[in-house]
Amino acid sequence: GSSLLQLCLQANPALYAGQELYLLMFDSMGERAAVPEMRFVEEGLVKTIMELSASSAAAARARIARFGADCPTWRVYQALQRMSGPRMLVDKTPANASHGSFMRRARETFEHARYIHLIRHPYACISSGLQMFRDFLDVSETTWAMVEQSWVDTNRACDEFMAELRAEQPEQRGQSMVLRYEDFLRDPAGATRGVCEALLGVEWAEGMANPYETSAIQSFEAAESKSTTDQKLLKRKAIEPRQAEKWREVQLPQPLLETTKALAAGHGYELLPDLTPELSWIAQPEGTPAGAPTVCIHDFTGLLWGFRALAPLLSTSGCLGIHASTRLLDGCACMQELAAQYVQLLPKGLWKGGAPVRLVGYS
């Protein structure tokens, strides 16, 4: 999600918000070069220098090499700021937010730094992160639990850092901002105007409302082989407000951690009730659900195998299945009591405004 905001900022002529730099978390360029994973993202700095110096990739790499292993990363930032001219340099690197010490280093490095904490609904963010690790970084062993813990650690670090800023410098509350990704998607013009005027002190540019119609997208094309930005960014043609509801389409493989729920609630996010062991998604919703899911009841075996092929055809809003269990049967003296147990299983948040429950079964 942060790559789209980065693209919007790049569409403002008063800003330079090119590809991800991966500088802040390192003391020196030698330390940066020693990290094997940098091979996945090293082109971000190359492309930035190419653009700011109007040079080739080879010339940009030569310039980076001339910094030398002992060069502190703050000197590289200094060089980039000079090359940016009157434009304000924006460093949108996800790893910047992964530890509080990195953000504190930004305070030590830059005299008048501004900070944006962009947060996304955990369902969509974790699902997207998992896809990125497996498809873009080719880290196939990454699990939902690993990415979820990263979401918690990163957003908790940001919350704590922002709280430090407010406590230490209450007179400078305008140097930081928290922005929900979904609010940004629903109103990109309003959100980016707020970033420009309330946080950065620059004039808003109309192209920020739809940066795909500007030349800003060219900054995120690969320097040589692979851009460091989200690859999906380059495939889209416009900002899609409907993506703000994408979290509703995510099928959770396991209940969220309590720490995840608490952080999400603190930022005003709605969460769906956890499914009980007897409930499972047989078919996921297609796009943004137009209504409540269909509920499929198990057959005499207590299982749902008979619905696997049929469920995707029943509803575009998805199909939930109810398995049989001795836990539900215990204490039930008749079918009506068992049916009442089944009704209690259903997440009430999926049926709003008194919407009827559509049941499917067979014998």
Side-chain angles (χ1 to χ4, degrees), residues 136-351:
F136 177 58
L137 300 180
D138 196 26
V139 186
S140 57
E141 65 270 18
T142 303
T143 65
W144 175 280
M146 294 164 62
V147 181
E148 181 179 4
Q149 189 60 56
S150 177
W151 185 92
V152 170
D153 294 342
T154 298
N155 287 293
R156 178 185 286 158
C158 287
D159 283 347
E160 291 174 353
F161 177 72
M162 294 297 197
E164 287 178 15
L165 285 180
R166 292 190 295 269
E168 295 177 15
Q169 297 175 315
E171 74 285 355
Q172 297 186 27
R173 289 181 178 271
Q175 72 175 156
S176 63
M177 171 182 288
V178 178
L179 177 62
R180 296 199 314 179
Y181 179 64
E182 293 75 16
D183 296 334
F184 160 56
L185 283 180
R186 295 184 186 104
D187 183 13
T192 54
R193 186 184 294 276
V195 170
C196 288
E197 297 176 355
L199 181 67
L200 303 180
V202 300
E203 186 177 346
W204 181 74
E206 189 173 348
M208 299 178 77
N210 191 1
Y212 288 96
E213 296 180 352
T214 73
S215 60
I217 192 67
Q218 297 172 9
S219 296
F220 300 93
E221 296 171 353
E224 293 172 304
S225 59
K226 180 177 287 188
S227 169
T228 60
T229 195
D230 183 349
Q231 299 302 296
K232 295 190 291 293
L233 182 79
L234 303 175
K235 297 178 181 178
R236 298 196 176 103
K237 301 300 181 184
I239 296 176
E240 302 172 1
R242 65 181 180 83
Q243 291 293 320
E245 302 300 322
K246 189 173 180 61
W247 65 272
R248 298 183 184 276
E249 305 170 20
V250 177
Q251 180 179 337
L252 301 187
Q254 60 198 55
L256 292 181
L257 299 171
E258 292 304 315
T259 49
T260 306
K261 294 177 183 177
L263 264 172
H267 285 275
Y269 279 122
E270 175 189 357
L271 297 177
L272 300 178
D274 292 335
L275 297 183
T276 66
E278 293 86 5
L279 275 181
S280 63
W281 286 100
I282 309 175
Q284 290 183 302
E286 298 177 9
T288 301
T294 295
V295 178
C296 300
I297 307 295
H298 63 83
D299 62 14
F300 72 95
T301 67
L303 303 177
L304 295 162
W305 61 270
F307 289 106
R308 296 298 173 187
L310 181 62
L313 306 176
L314 293 176
S315 171
T316 58
S317 296
C319 288
L320 274 173
I322 299 181
H323 306 258
S325 76
T326 55
R327 184 182 74 87
L328 295 177
L329 288 169
D330 286 346
C332 291
C334 62
M335 290 298 295
Q336 286 78 7
E337 292 180 6
L338 181 60
Q341 291 271 58
Y342 283 13
V343 170
Q344 291 302 313
L345 288 177
L346 301 179
K348 304 302 184 292
L350 296 179
W351 284 270

Side-chain angles (χ1 to χ4, degrees), residues 57-79:
R61 287 190 179 277
R63 187 161 188 161
I64 293 171
R66 286 197 296 272
F67 283 122
D70 295 331
C71 177
T73 52
W74 68 261
R75 286 198 177 276
V76 182
Y77 275 121
Q78 186 179 60

